[in-house]
Amino acid sequence: MILSVWTLGLLLVTFGGAHGHTNFPANFVVAKRNDPHPVTLTCNTQTEEGVSWRLDGEEVELDNYVQMEGPNLKISEVDAPMLGEYSCWRGGTMLSSTYLFQELEEDVALDSLLNCRAKSYDCNFTCSWRDSRFTAVRLGLGHDCSEGQRSCRWETSGGGHVGELQFVLPHSLSPYAEESTTLELTAEAINTFYILRRTKTFYLRDIIQPDSPQIVRCQEVGHELNVTLDPPPSWSTPHSFFSLEYEIEYEMKDDGKVIESSFSTLIPKKISKLRVRSRDSLVLSAWSQWTAWQNVNH
């Protein structure tokens, strides 16, 4: 049965389709909506003899928008009815296949889809993907990824529910040198027929957020309490070079629920409990999460 791509398009689901890709196809082409330039799909063959094309298993009928150019297929004015998996055949043998996506034109910044954080200045950082509409997501660093080059080293999620994807991206920045080079992060996300591509640049220092510090001990010093704190185990070393500042919140015994804070490790002695958070003291990074409240008995 020969089915034109326009007729077949009536059978396709929209962006929110139930069946999406769990991995990126090995070969795919991205078309832009209303692009006057045609898209060419390449057949992996050395000869034109006996070559035909199918879209999602149905033989493609040639028309004004879909034409053969040698063994390859040229598609003009790509729209939803023309998206899907194209395969090139000779008789009953499939020679190659290419998935045709359309770029999703959505005015959304990458920051609203992705949250990245570095616990330290060491060799990697993590990103969390927030948008559950997509069924496969990958991230890459560098110009090769932003330009969609095959040389890009993509990082894919190690698992988890869609919308809760976690990525670890290695970088080659020196933790001891003044940071003058930005990181260029590209995200690609796909569903059944659409692909979203976004790129952002940032300094590693922009996403630094230490883990919560460690409360070692509280020691009375005259009329005050000296709180000894240690950086989190994940923080960069040596700590004399990668310094942290701390904020202590505490509750006074006599004031009930009144919470006060201090950036000094010397605090009033008559407190009932405290908690602490930290940040990079040089770049004034994002604060860590607070530690759990700790009761003070003295």
Side-chain angles (χ1 to χ4, degrees), residues 5-6 12 29-41 55 64-66 73-84 86 99-103 105 193-194:
V5 291
W6 288 106
L12 301 182
V29 173
V30 180
K32 293 185 178 182
R33 185 183 297 274
N34 300 322
D35 190 340
H37 301 97
V39 172
T40 299
L41 306 182
L55 170 56
N64 292 334
Y65 302 99
V66 182
L73 197 66
K74 180 178 288 186
I75 306 175
S76 304
E77 299 183 23
V78 176
D79 211 337
M82 314 169 91
L83 305 174
Y86 286 82
Y99 210 95
L100 179 58
F101 289 105
Q102 188 171 73
E103 186 171 354
E105 296 177 356
F193 303 113
Y194 296 91

Side-chain angles (χ1 to χ4, degrees), residues 82-184:
M82 314 169 91
L83 305 174
E85 184 182 21
Y86 286 82
S87 52
C88 176
W89 295 76
R90 177 177 292 119
T93 302
M94 186 176 73
L95 304 175
S96 60
S97 68
T98 303
Y99 210 95
L100 179 58
F101 289 105
Q102 188 171 73
E103 186 171 354
L104 185 62
E105 296 177 356
E106 187 174 90
D107 186 19
V108 55
L110 186 54
D111 285 338
S112 66
L113 304 170
L114 193 70
N115 179 53
C116 294
R117 176 199 172 199
K119 296 180 179 181
S120 68
Y121 291 96
D122 295 341
C123 60
N124 57 55
F125 61 94
T126 61
C127 293
S128 301
W129 182 262
R130 299 171 174 174
D131 197 323
S132 61
R133 297 174 301 164
F134 301 92
T135 51
V137 182
R138 64 186 187 181
L139 307 180
L141 284 175
H143 190 66
D144 288 353
C145 300
S146 63
E147 293 296 319
Q149 301 295 326
R150 288 187 176 273
S151 54
C152 172
R153 297 181 60 182
W154 294 103
E155 298 291 334
T156 58
S157 172
H161 300 292
V162 175
E164 301 175 354
L165 302 177
Q166 298 289 324
F167 300 83
V168 177
L169 287 94
H171 66 83
S172 57
L173 300 177
S174 170
Y176 302 103
E178 183 177 355
E179 191 178 9
S180 59
T181 302
T182 57
L183 295 167
E184 186 176 26

Side-chain angles (χ1 to χ4, degrees), residues 226-291:
N226 184 33
V227 183
T228 302
L229 304 170
D230 275 351
S234 58
W235 186 241
S236 302
T237 56
H239 296 154
S240 58
F241 184 85
F242 298 99
S243 59
L244 290 174
E245 68 171 317
Y246 303 97
E247 181 180 13
I248 303 174
E249 280 195 345
Y250 54 89
E251 183 179 291
M252 302 296 295
K253 284 185 177 181
D254 299 334
D255 293 338
K257 295 183 179 181
V258 176
I259 304 297
E260 299 185 28
S261 66
S262 172
F263 292 98
S264 169
T265 56
L266 287 174
I267 59 176
K269 185 166 62 175
K270 294 184 178 180
I271 65 169
S272 58
K273 60 182 180 179
L274 59 80
R275 63 177 183 174
V276 187
R277 64 178 182 174
S278 60
R279 69 176 177 182
D280 186 305
S281 62
L282 296 179
V283 304
L284 299 183
S285 70
W287 285 102
S288 71
Q289 297 295 314
W290 290 101
T291 62

